[in-house]
Amino acid sequence: MAKTGVFDSDPMVIAKVTEFKKELQKLFTIIVDDDDYPIHTLDQTIHTLSALKGLKMNKRSLSFKLRQTLSSCPDEFKCPLSKELMRDPVILATGQTYDRLFIQKWLKAGNRTCPLTQQVLSHTILTPNLLVREMISQWCKSRGFESPDPVHYVNEEGITEADRDHFLSLLEKMSLALPEQKHAARELRLLTKRMPSFRALFGESIDAIPQLLNPLSASKSGSGIHPDLQEDVITTLLNLSIHDNNKKLVAETPMVIPLLMEALRSGTIEIRTNAAAALFTLSALDSNKALIGKSGAIKPLIDLLEEGNPLAMKDVASAIFTLCFLHENRGRAVRDGVVKVIMKKIANNVLVDELLAILAIVSTHQRAVEEMGELGTVPCLLRIMRESICERNKENCIAILHVICFYDRTKWKAMREEENSYGTISKLARDGTSRAKRKANGILERLNRGVNLTHTA
């Protein structure tokens, strides 16, 4: 009896269809763009189209009888979540067996309990259940079906078991000699950049990130690490932090933030830029904002901002801005000198848009307002409002001036003079964004009330 491909409609086939489509895209581009394309290009196109048609037809050929046979398989071969024959059985921390694809979906949804027992998981490592896999294989063979091949099994994100084995071997190399470390780090960097699925793999094992960081944590100082190796590891951390499900895991791995801080202080400019970008990406979570702020990472970010390298400025400013959404971090940033650094950059017309946004968010801190007064911020902001065509910048300027107006009466004179000479605040009260109008009108009312009180006196 001929064996029927029961898994012909599985993700493996879908991946093959995608591969054929990409091949067709290339062939069509050659045919359309090159008038002198070789004749074998047409033959290859026809062959690829034929193969694609065969796959599509094969996907639909699974008979009703075959489906009935599969549905009647022993319960121990069925995944408790999908209620279908398991393709890649794995054991959860509680000892229960599930199909890898479905238990991964469960874990990626944020669940940290066993679906069957409701026990809290001590870890999320999935161990292949080789015994059940072999039993399923024998059951399939006895009925004339091809059993699922775990080496070619593809999950929803395109990862095969072979990919997973390769991933683990790369992590093991991070504990070997420098040449092996450099090779493994470069490959992990490229894989996590190109394939979101490889980013997700780091969430499957509590040891994966510590293994990645082993070459950096083994050295007491970044200066003792090969720059290429440090750059690849830090960039891989950045790639990992892009994956939403990794943000908490990455930030809460004890050595991550200290190593990012070390990279900010002592790395090449590329390393420092990527470390700042990683902190920015991680700070999307409020819990991470608090963790990063408490660690002292804001100070090296401000130092790098003051240094003013064009490559790093935007990432650094983005990181500081996002971290300052947390009230406690505003105080830390002010204590670490952010106002002085920002005012110096704005006066030199550097990254004005981004730095005004940071200044607006820290202006709720009393000490920040005091420093702005000492640094001559008011005339600078009034000039930007008068000259800028950017509504966002005007809005941030008037928001800062609104706070200063309420905290520091000594700055009213400069605002009145600006208003008398140019009508800058009135123009914004009339033509600005809704928020800018509110702030501008608030300042004008305050200034007018002050004038009236003086006249009454």
Side-chain angles (χ1 to χ4, degrees):
M1 178 180 175
K3 290 185 177 182
T4 307
V6 69
F7 297 96
D8 285 349
S9 59
D10 272 17
M12 186 60 198
V13 177
I14 295 169
K16 202 70 179 170
V17 168
T18 304
E19 183 185 322
F20 283 143
K21 285 182 178 178
K22 286 180 181 177
E23 180 65 22
L24 284 170
Q25 236 173 356
K26 290 178 189 174
L27 293 167
F28 287 146
T29 301
I30 294 170
I31 293 168
V32 172
D33 294 345
D34 186 359
D35 292 334
D36 194 27
Y37 60 84
I39 193 70
H40 69 76
T41 304
L42 288 175
D43 295 333
Q44 196 174 348
T45 304
I46 293 167
H47 174 76
T48 307
L49 278 169
S50 177
L52 181 61
K53 181 182 177 182
L55 277 174
K56 296 292 281 185
M57 295 295 290
N58 206 21
K59 271 182 75 178
R60 298 171 186 150
S61 67
L62 197 61
S63 68
F64 177 71
K65 181 180 178 182
L66 186 55
R67 291 179 187 275
Q68 278 190 319
T69 305
L70 286 175
S71 64
S72 64
C73 73
D75 288 341
E76 59 267 29
F77 296 167
K78 293 180 182 178
C79 174
L81 293 173
S82 68
K83 309 300 181 187
E84 295 174 358
L85 181 68
M86 287 188 282
R87 305 162 189 175
D88 188 8
V90 292
I91 304 169
L92 201 57
T94 55
Q96 305 296 324
T97 296
Y98 299 90
D99 200 351
R100 185 186 294 275
L101 177 63
F102 295 95
I103 193 60
Q104 280 181 337
K105 281 184 179 179
W106 169 268
L107 295 172
K108 284 171 186 174
N111 298 300
R112 287 297 177 266
T113 57
C114 174
L116 278 179
T117 66
Q118 299 304 310
Q119 283 179 261
V120 176
L121 302 175
S122 57
H123 60 79
T124 57
I125 300 169
L126 303 175
T127 307
N129 192 329
L130 301 178
L131 177 60
V132 170
R133 182 184 292 171
E134 178 60 27
M135 290 169 69
I136 290 174
S137 177
Q138 292 300 324
W139 183 84
C140 288
K141 285 177 184 175
S142 69
R143 283 154 181 78
F145 307 144
E146 287 183 3
S147 61
D149 184 352
V151 173
H152 296 112
Y153 172 66
V154 182
N155 67 17
E156 71 207 9
E157 294 178 316
I159 282 290
T160 66
E161 201 63 31
D163 290 331
R164 187 172 280 103
D165 290 341
H166 180 52
F167 166 73
L168 294 173
S169 74
L170 289 174
L171 289 180
E172 287 173 6
K173 288 179 182 177
M174 297 302 286
S175 299
L176 302 179
L178 181 61
E180 286 86 357
Q181 289 178 342
K182 287 174 65 178
H183 174 267
R186 173 48 59 104
E187 193 162 352
L188 285 168
R189 172 181 178 172
L190 295 174
L191 287 170
T192 52
K193 178 184 178 181
R194 291 197 306 258
M195 298 175 64
S197 48
F198 265 83
R199 299 172 204 155
L201 280 175
F202 277 84
E204 292 184 11
S205 167
I206 55 175
D207 296 322
I209 295 175
Q211 282 181 280
L212 168 71
L213 300 177
N214 183 66
L216 307 192
S217 57
S219 174
K220 292 182 179 178
S221 168
S223 58
I225 302 166
H226 193 284
D228 291 345
L229 177 59
Q230 186 184 18
E231 182 179 334
D232 287 337
V233 171
I234 294 296
T235 308
T236 302
L237 271 183
L238 169 59
N239 295 341
L240 295 184
S241 65
I242 294 168
H243 195 79
D244 285 343
N245 291 333
N246 282 344
K247 292 185 192 298
K248 187 176 176 63
L249 173 68
V250 172
E252 291 183 358
T253 300
M255 61 190 77
V256 166
I257 295 176
L259 286 174
L260 288 175
M261 289 169 61
E262 181 63 39
L264 284 173
R265 295 189 187 100
S266 63
T268 64
I269 193 59
E270 290 81 6
I271 292 169
R272 300 169 83 187
T273 300
N274 288 343
L279 288 171
F280 163 58
T281 310
L282 291 172
S283 63
L285 292 185
D286 285 346
S287 59
N288 287 355
K289 289 183 182 73
L291 199 61
I292 294 167
K294 288 176 184 175
S295 71
I298 293 175
K299 181 64 167 71
L301 283 169
I302 294 171
D303 291 342
L304 188 50
L305 181 67
E306 184 172 22
E307 210 172 283
N309 190 292
L311 263 179
M313 289 279 282
K314 282 213 171 192
D315 288 311
V316 172
S318 298
I320 295 171
F321 176 74
T322 310
L323 287 167
C324 285
F325 272 62
L326 195 70
H327 182 74
E328 292 85 353
N329 285 343
R330 294 174 205 171
R332 293 183 179 110
V334 172
R335 287 193 296 275
D336 289 334
V338 75
V339 175
K340 184 178 179 181
V341 171
I342 286 176
M343 288 312 304
K344 185 178 177 182
K345 296 297 175 189
I346 289 177
N348 292 325
N349 206 33
V350 175
L351 218 66
V352 174
D353 300 7
E354 290 83 354
L355 297 183
L356 277 175
I358 299 173
L359 205 60
I361 203 169
V362 300
S363 65
T364 58
H365 194 277
Q366 175 68 40
R367 179 57 193 151
V369 177
E370 292 169 5
E371 285 189 31
M372 287 182 210
E374 295 164 7
L375 295 166
T377 303
V378 172
C380 177
L381 296 179
L382 290 170
R383 176 186 58 79
I384 293 171
M385 282 171 55
R386 190 167 64 244
E387 298 174 357
S388 177
I389 59 171
C390 175
E391 293 300 321
R392 180 167 170 261
N393 285 354
K394 292 179 182 179
E395 185 179 301
N396 281 327
C397 284
I398 200 68
I400 299 164
L401 289 170
H402 185 266
V403 176
I404 293 173
C405 180
F406 275 72
Y407 273 115
D408 189 351
R409 294 169 60 97
T410 66
K411 301 299 177 284
W412 289 11
K413 181 182 177 183
M415 294 185 198
R416 282 200 196 97
E417 289 174 353
E418 175 74 21
E419 186 60 20
N420 292 335
S421 300
Y422 303 101
T424 306
I425 302 173
S426 295
K427 285 178 186 174
L428 204 58
R430 185 177 62 251
D431 303 324
T433 64
S434 57
R435 179 170 178 251
K437 286 177 181 177
R438 287 198 310 273
K439 301 294 184 183
N441 280 315
I443 291 174
L444 291 173
E445 288 171 14
R446 193 90 172 173
L447 295 179
N448 290 335
R449 199 181 312 135
V451 169
N452 292 335
L453 285 172
T454 303
H455 287 166
T456 304

